[in-house]
Amino acid sequence: MTIRSTVRLTLVAVVALLAGHAGFAASDTPPATPASPTTAAKPAVAKEGVFTIINKTTWDISAVHVTPAEEDTWTANLLKHKLAAGGTAKMRVECDETDVKLVDAHGHTCISESMYPCGKHSTWTVTNQELAGCKTFGQ
């Protein structure tokens, strides 16, 4: 046997040995390459929109807070000034299912759950009747 044949047989044995280990695949398919930073999936950015509240109650609204639906991570007050009875306020919010908390001048709260404050639901007209379930609100 020549030196060339011996080297060739040794090379074939090493390749066969490596192919049997977990880190090497015996496949004609090239290994997958990891995604580069430019092609990696980017986290979704929440869309923002303008949410308008029209206060048709007989009470002032002192604060408006929002949180993603069924969570308890309320924002700071979104109102720049109290929303007087008959007044309108516009605020920027994320366009996702949202719970909205209204606070009156006495600190009483009323929560409206599962609102979609963008698109065709971007305006909410608040009335006494709508807040009737919040017994102490405005009292």
Side-chain angles (χ1 to χ4, degrees):
M1 188 180 291
T2 67
I3 293 178
R4 189 177 210 174
S5 298
T6 303
V7 170
R8 189 175 287 160
L9 285 174
T10 304
L11 185 57
V12 169
V14 169
V15 170
L17 180 66
L18 291 175
H21 283 69
F24 294 85
S27 170
D28 292 337
T29 307
T33 56
S36 68
T38 57
T39 60
K42 296 179 182 175
V45 176
K47 178 183 167 193
E48 281 193 348
V50 175
F51 180 48
T52 303
I53 296 179
I54 301 171
N55 184 3
K56 294 281 186 173
T57 70
T58 54
W59 315 292
D60 292 344
I61 297 173
S62 296
V64 175
H65 305 274
V66 297
T67 185
E70 299 183 22
E71 290 187 24
D72 198 22
T73 54
W74 297 99
T75 63
N77 184 5
L78 298 177
L79 293 176
K80 294 177 182 168
H81 308 285
K82 76 175 180 178
L83 179 55
T88 299
K90 294 179 185 266
M91 56 207 77
R92 295 200 67 77
V93 295
E94 288 186 10
C95 295
D96 201 0
E97 185 177 2
T98 302
D99 294 345
V100 179
K101 181 187 336 183
L102 304 178
V103 182
D104 70 11
H106 304 288
H108 302 126
T109 63
C110 188
I111 297 174
S112 182
E113 297 178 340
S114 298
M115 297 187 71
Y116 293 90
C118 294
K120 67 180 183 178
H121 301 289
S122 62
T123 299
W124 180 28
T125 302
V126 183
T127 64
N128 289 358
Q129 184 177 11
E130 189 169 356
L131 300 183
C134 300
K135 301 288 185 208
T136 60
F137 193 86
Q139 305 302 315

